[in-house]
Amino acid sequence: MPRRKTYLFESEGNSAWTWWTNEEVGHTQEAKKEIGSLLDEGNIFDTPKPVRLIKRILELASTKDSLILDSFAGSGTTGHAVLAQNKADGGNRRFILVEMEEKICQSITSQRLKKVIEGYNDNPALGGGFRYCVLSEPVFDEHGQICKEVKFMDLARHVFFTETGEPLPRDVNGKKSPLIGVCKGTAYYLLFNGILGDKRPDGGNVLTNKILAELPPHDGPKVIFGEGSRLGADRLKRDGIIFKQIPYEIKVN
Ligand SMILES: C[S@@+](CC[C@H](N)C(=O)[O-])C[C@H]1O[C@@H](n2cnc3c(N)ncnc32)[C@H](O)[C@@H]1O
């Protein structure tokens, strides 16, 4: 079989060797020192990774715009390495760190990131930033139905984000108004949990003429989420409304 041969001088970027020495990428003791110099109570992990090791992986396996996920964040070495690599090559990599222990997240992962972003001891600031988010209860059960505990604001956050890619506007408070936000000229409404004041089961969750007349006005296209619609397709079209049924037409991701 003909085979393409690529010489080292022809290849772009770095070529990975199978053997990584501790002179090049560090070792556990180095990692412990790194954390110890940042945080007094940071050394609770037996085998933390040195920043140099993760940086090497980023050099080989990421581009300047990569999004890097570490779903076992621990002491936050991955976030630290991403910021360091961005500083080194002017990259714009972003990261998502997931840590299930709230205490570790609050007192170690996020504290380490803050310090390296701002600079500490003799180490210059790496710059960058991060947002600290706390996961709430699941929105859907295993059958795709909305969980009973889900409140209007929980669903509003989910719907607005999955539809627009944007977080819910800060002024939405889930008190009386089903308008959850406007994005790129389109208004998004959510009829759920009797937001319009009708506390009967399903009250106010179905789009009718009366409910439509009560919605806060918007001069432009509207997307309305509700449990059902009594308005015909022509009427919806005439009023520039896209109706989406809860829960089936709510995007999961
Ligand atoms: C060994 S530590 C990671 C250390 C990290 N690589 C470093 O160098 O700093 C693993 C972490 O993953 C967290 N963890 C374990 N299972 C998890 C899960 N299912 N979701 C999120 N975090 C998890 C643990 O709480 C622990 O802090």
Side-chain angles (χ1 to χ4, degrees):
M1 286 278 285
R3 219 155 52 98
R4 184 187 159 86
K5 191 167 176 86
T6 307
Y7 291 93
L8 188 57
F9 70 86
E10 294 173 317
S11 52
E12 282 183 14
N14 292 332
S15 298
W17 295 84
T18 50
W19 186 252
W20 295 10
T21 64
N22 61 17
E23 282 96 26
E24 287 175 14
V25 296
H27 42 74
T28 305
Q29 285 312 315
E30 175 177 317
K32 288 191 174 183
K33 268 196 199 152
E34 280 171 354
I35 305 174
S37 71
L38 275 157
L39 305 167
D40 293 339
E41 77 279 37
N43 267 319
I44 59 164
F45 301 103
D46 291 335
T47 55
K49 311 298 173 288
V51 174
R52 286 198 285 163
L53 174 68
I54 310 294
K55 262 186 92 207
R56 165 61 62 88
I57 295 171
L58 295 173
E59 280 163 14
L60 292 170
S62 75
T63 64
K64 287 184 177 178
D65 292 319
S66 292
L67 174 61
I68 288 111
L69 170 71
D70 183 350
S71 52
F72 301 90
S75 69
T77 315
T78 302
H80 187 163
V82 169
L83 295 165
Q85 187 60 23
N86 279 346
K87 175 101 178 175
D89 66 6
N92 191 29
R93 294 169 191 81
R94 292 168 302 147
F95 57 81
I96 299 174
L97 304 184
V98 187
E99 171 52 55
M100 70 176 187
E101 295 289 344
E102 200 169 353
K103 204 159 171 280
I104 293 180
C105 222
Q106 278 174 357
S107 60
I108 298 180
T109 327
S110 61
Q111 294 308 317
R112 178 181 191 173
L113 292 176
K114 266 191 203 161
K115 284 205 167 178
V116 301
I117 285 169
E118 288 164 7
Y120 64 100
N121 304 341
D122 291 335
N123 297 281
L126 294 180
F130 67 95
R131 189 191 291 181
Y132 187 116
C133 304
V134 181
L135 285 183
S136 64
E137 297 304 314
V139 175
F140 301 103
D141 67 17
E142 63 274 32
H143 306 294
Q145 298 297 321
I146 293 170
C147 296
K148 284 204 171 50
E149 304 74 35
V150 169
K151 305 218 165 50
F152 180 86
M153 287 298 284
D154 300 326
L155 195 62
R157 268 187 210 99
H158 178 85
V159 165
F160 198 74
F161 182 73
T162 51
E163 286 291 314
T164 66
E166 300 283 333
L168 195 68
R170 283 188 195 281
D171 54 355
V172 176
N173 58 16
K175 290 185 184 142
K176 298 216 174 105
S177 177
L179 177 61
I180 59 173
V182 178
C183 183
K184 297 189 181 120
T186 299
Y188 294 84
Y189 297 83
L190 176 62
L191 301 172
F192 179 67
N193 267 358
I195 180 74
L196 281 166
D198 186 342
K199 292 290 177 199
R200 285 171 299 174
D202 299 337
N205 297 340
V206 173
L207 183 61
T208 59
N209 274 319
K210 180 173 170 294
I211 296 286
L212 184 59
E214 288 176 30
L215 294 182
H218 172 71
D219 189 12
K222 304 178 188 70
V223 177
I224 303 178
F225 283 84
E227 286 177 2
S229 167
R230 302 260 158 80
L231 306 185
D234 288 347
R235 172 70 196 282
L236 292 174
K237 198 170 170 199
R238 202 173 61 234
D239 284 14
I241 297 171
I242 294 175
F243 179 79
K244 296 197 177 189
Q245 196 180 8
I246 296 172
Y248 313 105
E249 291 181 274
I250 295 181
K251 291 182 204 161
V252 175
N253 294 310

